[in-house]
Amino acid sequence: MAPRLLFLLALAAASLAHLIPPRQANGTQNPWPLLRDFDALGAWFEGVAAIEKTSAPSRSNATIAIVGAGISGLATALMLESVGVHNWEIIEASSRIGGRFRTKFFEGTQEWVEMGPMRLPYSVQYKSDNSTHEYTDHRMVFQLADWLNEINQHNPELEVNFIPWIQHHPNELLARGTKPTADGRVPTRADIAANPELGSAPPSTSLEYKSTKQKMDGIMKDEKTLRAIQKDIWRAHRKAMDQGLDDMSEQAMMRNVFMASENTTDAIWTASDYDIFWDEMVHNSNLAQDGSSSALGETEWRCVDQGFNKLSDAFFPHVSDRLELERKITRLESIKDAGGEPKTRLFWNSGIGMNRTSHHKDYDYTIIAVPFTMTRFMDLPTFSSVLGRAISEPGLRFKSACKVALLFRERFWEQDERPIFGGYSQPRSAAVGALYYPVYGLNETGRPGAIIHYRGGDWSDRFASFSDEQHVELVLDAIVSLHGEQARELYTGQYERLCWLQDEHTATAWCRPDVEQHALYIPAYHVTEHNTIFIGEHTAPTHAWVSSSLHSSVRGAIQLLLEIGMAEEAKALNQKWMGRWISSQD
């Protein structure tokens, strides 16, 4: 049997992990430490904390362009500002800050909906021992809010507060694939918990299916592994990479290691939204996200009161004097100044047609804080083979999402015999997917409310072809199928719709890497080429979450500080934002 197959079999049995040598850190000898010299796939912050040589001449006055005013760009600017680097400028293609934060208020009401990020895992309580643990990586978002509140002197207009997010409610209606109750009703989550026969059937009941599923769950739902991810996501990521979990897809593992049939492999794979082990392991670490009774514990969730745009808006007083809106970068050139020092030159256009004028400006460094779905439209210099492929169209993979929010004059779902407060229901329509209920203003007499349809992945790509009217009608019909004609009668006609593929400034909802796109690409982001640094949730090991954007901001800011010789400042920033993991043990 081939050595590689023997290795993978050992992995599946989880018995040889301690024998696998770590991959070598990507880097070369330099007169002073740079970020690329540390472990990009793991605890790189330990290397920063251990820096002793600080002989590089400081260039705190270096000019820095930050392209993109999403949360990554905004946070990077303030992190640099906090350690004495003031000569930065944020360049944003749209007319607003916040990027994929997209809170919408319905006119004439206090009702708000999130068309972008909507929740954060806060802590988890395990069933096995009733112990409660904090999600350490998501703590960075709460830390950022505390910092912004402090520097904004707790101004009520800018204050960022968190409220509970209700991921599930016992009275959610689950119509897809389930059986009606004895009296013909769509079963609630509580009904199915009391009588599992009402729940949806597994894709297969064969012994092979059960055996293969158990083996896969042994990798992706192992309690010790999930606890390790929650405690220290960086070392857990390194371990997963060392174990070869980025080297093959879940399908390949089932077919070539567990020797499952095509049918069993397909049944297990298509029941999930994931291809890559690490992504699904991180998803599973947010326990009970899907409400399954088999979850190892229960997660406590939070959201931002009045929406995530409160978080980005809190930056505005501190960036407004160095913020350029409606400036879409079309080209980046690597140049040298009169003294032969490398610099970056950014190009953009103003006007249209015959009145269009090209402009450019030079900077010592550029930090690109927009997804590769946008940089692929830019004319860029030739980067190294790996980084160039990651940026390119065949490289890093992204996913989309669509949301439609409908406003109703009354919250009829809170007034039913089995009232629903928060959580989400599932209509029979697979296309509609999930219907989320508001988590604020609960049980207030006469208050209006909005229900949000949320669908990601391939469905959202297809929804981009719908007109607003078609999409709204589909969602309204699905709500009526669960709640009756009262929903149609109470619909106000007001709606919000956003399919991220149609957003001209992002064209994506989140990053969804393919096989080898962690082990191969992430080290490349830690190397500064053409005085350019790439950040954003797509460059972090966790993706999709707000904390991923902030992780990349810390990494990018520290990477720049080391490049300009500000090692002490890099260490200070590292300690402030990554300190919770420094010297942490597995």
Side-chain angles (χ1 to χ4, degrees):
M1 189 175 292
R4 181 60 180 159
L5 185 55
L6 285 171
F7 163 73
L8 288 170
L9 287 169
L11 162 67
S15 60
L16 294 181
H18 65 286
L19 299 178
I20 304 167
R23 290 176 175 154
Q24 296 301 308
N26 181 23
T28 57
Q29 292 299 317
N30 299 286
W32 61 86
L34 299 177
L35 195 69
R36 67 188 186 190
D37 297 316
F38 309 127
D39 183 9
L41 296 176
W44 56 266
F45 42 85
E46 290 279 17
V48 176
I51 290 175
E52 295 181 359
K53 296 175 65 175
T54 59
S55 59
S58 172
R59 297 175 60 203
S60 62
N61 63 341
T63 56
I64 301 152
I66 301 173
V67 180
I71 193 66
S72 296
L74 295 170
T76 301
L78 254 60
M79 288 174 186
L80 292 173
E81 182 78 11
S82 71
V83 292
V85 177
H86 310 302
N87 207 1
W88 49 263
E89 181 179 46
I90 300 177
I91 303 166
E92 168 59 37
S94 74
S95 59
R96 54 180 290 277
I97 66 172
R100 280 169 274 184
F101 287 177
R102 205 65 60 89
T103 306
K104 295 288 187 178
F105 279 81
F106 284 102
E107 186 176 354
T109 76
Q110 296 177 297
E111 303 306 301
W112 49 272
V113 291
E114 296 283 30
M115 308 307 285
M118 57 184 178
R119 61 195 165 186
L120 298 167
Y122 184 74
S123 64
V124 57
Q125 183 176 23
Y126 277 90
K127 295 176 181 177
S128 60
D129 59 5
N130 289 322
S131 62
T132 299
H133 304 270
E134 182 181 86
Y135 286 99
T136 55
D137 58 323
H138 295 287
R139 283 301 306 169
M140 190 174 285
V141 185
F142 301 102
Q143 179 183 351
L144 174 67
D146 289 341
W147 184 41
L148 288 169
N149 289 340
E150 180 182 347
I151 63 178
N152 285 326
Q153 300 180 329
H154 296 275
N155 180 341
E157 295 296 319
L158 298 171
E159 187 94 17
V160 180
N161 297 305
F162 295 92
I163 60 176
W165 168 271
I166 304 170
Q167 180 68 9
H168 291 292
H169 189 270
N171 291 334
E172 294 168 354
L173 299 169
L174 304 178
R176 190 163 66 250
T178 59
K179 301 178 181 66
T181 62
D183 56 359
R185 292 184 294 104
V186 172
T188 65
R189 187 170 295 279
D191 289 332
I192 295 172
N195 181 8
E197 291 186 2
L198 297 176
S200 55
S204 172
T205 58
S206 72
L207 291 177
E208 181 193 56
Y209 172 87
K210 293 177 180 178
S211 173
T212 306
K213 185 73 166 61
Q214 184 179 33
K215 292 173 184 175
M216 293 295 285
D217 286 349
I219 298 173
M220 294 185 292
K221 294 185 177 181
D222 172 66
E223 182 169 333
K224 182 179 179 181
T225 299
L226 299 187
R227 287 190 184 223
I229 292 172
Q230 293 153 1
K231 178 184 177 183
D232 187 339
I233 202 146
W234 305 97
R235 290 176 175 84
H237 180 259
R238 161 52 81 181
K239 185 175 182 179
M241 297 300 103
D242 286 344
Q243 287 178 328
L245 287 178
D246 203 45
D247 294 344
M248 65 165 53
S249 68
E250 294 179 12
Q251 304 96 295
M253 177 71 82
M254 287 184 275
R255 287 288 291 133
N256 300 316
V257 178
F258 298 141
M259 303 303 175
S261 67
E262 292 95 333
N263 186 52
T264 291
T265 298
D266 185 70
I268 294 173
W269 173 59
T270 53
S272 169
D273 189 36
Y274 293 89
D275 303 305
I276 307 304
F277 282 97
W278 173 252
D279 267 7
E280 186 157 2
M281 289 160 66
V282 172
H283 170 85
N284 291 340
S285 73
N286 301 314
L287 298 180
Q289 184 161 325
D290 63 358
S292 170
S293 60
S294 64
L296 298 171
E298 193 71 34
T299 289
E300 178 185 354
W301 300 78
R302 300 282 173 88
C303 63
V304 178
D305 190 16
Q306 299 183 62
F308 271 93
N309 271 121
K310 288 285 289 185
L311 190 61
S312 54
D313 289 346
F315 283 89
F316 190 75
H318 310 286
V319 303
S320 58
D321 61 337
R322 283 166 283 177
L323 170 66
E324 291 290 342
L325 296 174
E326 298 183 316
R327 180 177 291 184
K328 187 174 185 177
I329 300 303
T330 59
R331 186 161 92 245
L332 183 152
E333 284 187 1
S334 179
I335 63 171
K336 291 186 178 180
D337 63 17
E341 291 296 318
K343 298 174 75 74
T344 59
R345 176 170 291 171
L346 298 181
F347 292 80
W348 68 95
N349 297 317
S350 63
I352 58 174
M354 296 294 292
N355 296 320
R356 190 173 73 168
T357 304
S358 179
H359 309 270
H360 70 266
K361 186 173 180 179
D362 297 346
Y363 301 86
D364 291 316
Y365 287 87
T366 292
I367 298 176
I368 301 288
V370 297
F372 293 159
T373 48
M374 288 291 100
T375 61
R376 288 166 185 169
F377 289 100
M378 297 178 187
D379 184 4
L380 301 175
T382 301
F383 289 94
S384 63
S385 175
V386 173
L387 182 56
R389 285 203 307 281
I391 298 168
S392 71
E393 185 273 333
L396 192 62
R397 186 176 62 162
F398 292 82
K399 288 282 188 176
S400 187
C402 282
K403 287 185 178 180
V404 171
L406 305 186
L407 181 68
F408 298 89
R409 289 194 300 276
E410 297 176 14
R411 297 187 176 192
F412 50 82
W413 55 90
E414 295 181 359
Q415 302 163 11
D416 287 347
E417 181 182 354
R418 296 173 179 82
I420 302 172
F421 300 103
Y424 64 84
S425 289
Q426 292 181 333
R428 288 186 176 85
S429 169
V432 172
L435 296 168
Y436 284 85
Y437 304 96
V439 299
Y440 60 90
L442 302 177
N443 214 22
E444 294 183 6
T445 303
R447 179 161 185 161
I451 294 178
I452 305 175
H453 142 76
Y454 174 35
R455 208 64 166 112
D458 186 77
W459 283 112
S460 63
D461 296 349
R462 306 312 135 223
F463 277 132
S465 67
F466 276 38
S467 67
D468 282 5
E469 293 75 17
Q470 289 173 317
H471 205 162
V472 166
E473 183 178 6
L474 179 70
V475 174
L476 181 57
D477 286 345
I479 295 172
V480 170
S481 74
L482 291 177
H483 294 285
E485 286 297 326
Q486 63 172 335
R488 201 181 307 277
E489 295 165 4
L490 292 171
Y491 174 48
T492 65
Q494 287 184 260
Y495 67 86
E496 291 287 345
R497 178 181 185 244
L498 178 58
C499 287
W500 284 99
L501 276 185
Q502 296 174 322
D503 186 274
E504 64 175 307
H505 302 299
T506 57
T508 186
W510 60 75
C511 175
R512 181 61 62 79
D514 212 331
V515 174
E516 281 284 4
Q517 291 193 341
H518 271 216
L520 182 63
Y521 291 162
I522 288 179
Y525 308 143
H526 288 233
V527 181
T528 303
E529 299 183 25
H530 300 301
N531 281 23
T532 300
I533 295 170
F534 292 90
I535 66 171
E537 59 92 10
H538 53 292
T539 68
T542 46
H543 311 299
W545 296 97
V546 177
S547 57
S548 302
S549 298
L550 298 181
H551 294 159
S552 79
S553 299
V554 179
R555 187 265 302 167
I558 291 172
Q559 187 169 336
L560 175 70
L561 291 169
L562 294 178
E563 293 285 341
I564 62 179
M566 300 181 68
E568 291 302 322
E569 290 79 359
K571 292 176 68 174
L573 203 63
N574 187 59
Q575 181 60 47
K576 177 175 181 177
W577 293 98
M578 308 301 289
R580 61 177 61 84
W581 297 290
I582 293 174
S583 298
S584 176
Q585 299 299 314
D586 288 339

